[in-house]
Amino acid sequence: MKQRDDDVDTTTPGARPAQHAPRGRASLRAAPAPAGPFRIDTEELRSRLGELHPDDEPPLRFLPELDRLVEAVNTEAGLTREGAAAVRERLLSALSQQVRLSALAASDPGTPTPGLTHPVFISGLPGSGASLLQNLLVEHPGVDSPTLWEMLYPVPRTEDLPGRRALIGRARAHVETSRRHVRPRTVGRFREATRPGGCHQLFVNAFQSPASGMHLRIPRYLRALEASDLTGAYAFHREQLQAIASRIPVDSLVLRAPFHAARLDDLLRVYPDARLIRVHRDPVAVTTITAGVSTGLRRATSDEVAPRAVGREWAGRIERQLAQTMRAGRRLGPDRLLDVRHADLVSAPAATARRVYRFIGVEPAPAVLDNVRILARSTAAPARPPQRFEAADFGLSAPELRERFGAYIDAYGL
């Protein structure tokens, strides 16, 4: 697959990220101020974190990564006042999750953590059907996935019912905010606080989520992240997942994020027995949907969103990611890697689910497959005809995209 550098800015600043040695709060340094007034101040984050956790002084982690992310947000994202406030709260939540995870580990260091053996990772870009597949699979009683609210808050402040309801309410508000900017498009049908959530949320707490570009224009940061080693972020992903999994007694844990297949080496260093499911769809549709969703989500935080620039940026990023996905997958055998096509998932959901269940190692009862059919049917018929994204909306040409993605299209019969 031919590579192109079509990001808005493809400069890669600095070298590879430093190793994630713990550092104290004092290392939270102020990031450079952007030209505009709406910025993120790490000193303010440190102050607010101290107010939220006055009795805790654990060593915070991934602070160099936080500094780089904040610098990128301040210089590239063009935040509005409301956008800066939303980003500030998300970063503060990430730091709070670090504090609570450290406190949880220190509360009873002798307690064994869940083994998380043979986890299943689904990888598929927005619109590929990865979320649909994840939701169909959890119809089986032996398969589970953490919900969106658990991914957003892997270590709750309290385990009591009122505290849990409050977090679910916050997660619902988070979903509703994002939906306002993509309606009436057909996206995010399974994006609910109590439905399975994407585990890319756990990378946000290490300030190294490749999915951050959906919400923010930070092309230089994301290009640098593509060349970075995410092993440390995956290790932190596992720590958070263990905290969640201690509350989920299940045989098969299924996780989903758009970039797992492209980061397979990093993933396998932390989850050496992991299995991977790749969901494939015509990359013209996937690129268009990703550009459309990203355009809408970025408008929640910035007034400086140019759809054509967003389309160009995502076309280049997706091209590189799919090329890396194809290369990485050659290292796994059929017992560890399963490819699923969106067309098969939509046209024959029960048969496709049965195939995936066998790959996972669970046997579906007829009632489970009936539930799969019902759930798939309910998502296939929206109440109103949706407004579709078109490639031309983002300065893209469908024939040119098909030529660019020709090797991928041929490899998977798309």
Side-chain angles (χ1 to χ4, degrees):
M1 186 180 296
K2 183 179 179 182
Q3 296 295 297
R4 298 186 183 183
D5 292 332
D6 286 339
D7 282 345
V8 175
D9 190 325
T10 59
T11 305
T12 303
R16 294 162 67 91
Q19 295 299 311
H20 311 298
R23 296 169 58 188
R25 283 189 194 147
S27 63
L28 276 172
R29 60 180 175 81
F38 308 123
R39 63 188 295 269
I40 308 298
D41 188 336
T42 48
E43 290 297 325
E44 179 188 359
L45 289 177
R46 183 184 66 178
S47 175
R48 291 188 59 193
L49 186 67
E51 294 171 1
L52 289 173
H53 304 277
D55 300 324
D56 297 304
E57 273 294 335
L60 296 175
R61 303 159 70 178
F62 306 106
L63 295 181
E65 289 75 16
L66 172 61
D67 290 337
R68 278 189 284 272
L69 176 58
V70 169
E71 180 176 2
V73 169
N74 282 346
T75 57
E76 297 183 282
L79 298 180
T80 60
R81 184 187 303 275
E82 296 78 9
V87 173
R88 194 178 296 117
E89 290 304 312
R90 189 66 189 94
L91 295 176
L92 184 61
S93 175
L95 291 168
S96 280
Q97 288 300 311
Q98 289 194 20
V99 172
R100 289 177 183 143
L101 188 63
S102 295
L104 179 65
S107 64
D108 192 356
T111 301
T113 57
L116 300 181
T117 57
H118 304 292
V120 177
F121 291 85
I122 299 175
S123 183
L125 289 160
S128 67
S131 178
L132 171 60
L133 177 59
Q134 182 187 28
N135 277 269
L136 295 181
L137 293 178
V138 298
E139 291 298 311
H140 194 293
V143 178
D144 210 341
S145 297
T147 62
L148 175 60
W149 81 265
E150 290 173 307
M151 290 297 190
L152 288 170
Y153 311 107
V155 190
R157 182 178 58 84
T158 175
E159 289 288 347
D160 62 25
L161 186 58
R164 185 171 301 184
R165 285 176 173 167
L167 292 182
I168 292 173
R170 289 174 62 183
R172 284 176 174 152
H174 172 85
V175 169
E176 186 57 32
T177 297
S178 64
R179 276 188 176 156
R180 284 201 301 269
H181 295 272
V182 293
R183 285 175 176 164
R185 312 287 186 164
T186 305
V187 291
R189 290 181 182 171
F190 287 110
R191 189 169 171 77
E192 301 285 353
T194 54
R195 297 292 306 183
C199 64
H200 57 275
Q201 303 289 347
L202 302 181
F203 290 84
V204 173
N205 295 337
F207 314 111
Q208 294 173 81
S209 174
S212 295
M214 292 295 293
H215 298 263
L216 299 166
R217 182 189 181 278
I218 44 176
R220 286 195 299 269
Y221 173 83
L222 293 175
R223 192 62 190 270
L225 203 60
E226 289 179 20
S228 300
D229 185 343
L230 294 188
T231 304
Y234 269 102
F236 192 54
H237 173 283
R238 182 166 188 143
E239 290 179 45
Q240 297 173 86
L241 190 60
Q242 285 175 322
I244 298 172
S246 64
R247 308 189 294 269
I248 305 177
V250 69
D251 297 328
S252 297
L253 195 62
V254 175
L255 305 155
R256 170 183 56 86
F259 51 82
H260 285 316
R263 306 307 304 238
L264 190 58
D265 288 343
D266 301 334
L267 187 156
L268 291 177
R269 291 188 193 103
V270 177
Y271 297 97
D273 58 349
R275 291 163 292 177
L276 179 69
I277 301 170
R278 299 184 300 192
V279 186
H280 306 282
R281 186 179 183 181
D282 176 4
V284 178
V286 167
T287 301
T288 303
I289 291 171
T290 302
V293 175
S294 183
T295 296
L297 293 177
R298 290 183 186 186
R299 283 174 173 159
T301 59
S302 176
D303 292 332
E304 303 173 10
V305 182
R308 296 175 70 89
V310 176
R312 187 166 63 249
E313 178 185 338
W314 276 109
R317 183 166 299 124
I318 289 173
E319 186 176 15
R320 292 190 298 275
Q321 177 164 328
L322 292 181
Q324 180 61 22
T325 293
M326 293 175 69
R327 289 193 297 269
R330 300 187 185 111
R331 294 191 286 278
L332 290 181
D335 60 326
R336 301 279 302 279
L337 174 65
L338 181 68
D339 289 308
V340 174
R341 297 192 314 165
H342 175 269
D344 298 329
L345 182 61
V346 171
S347 64
T352 303
R354 182 189 294 111
R355 177 172 165 244
V356 177
Y357 283 137
R358 288 174 179 167
F359 172 75
I360 293 174
V362 298
E363 189 62 33
V368 169
L369 295 178
D370 287 343
N371 289 342
V372 165
R373 292 187 188 94
I374 293 169
L375 181 59
R377 193 181 306 124
S378 71
T379 67
R384 294 181 299 174
Q387 182 182 1
R388 302 288 183 180
F389 294 118
E390 300 293 341
D393 296 341
F394 309 99
L396 302 172
S397 161
E400 290 179 4
L401 287 175
R402 290 194 68 83
E403 182 179 354
R404 287 178 69 171
F405 293 112
Y408 176 78
I409 290 171
D410 293 342
Y412 302 104
L414 305 173

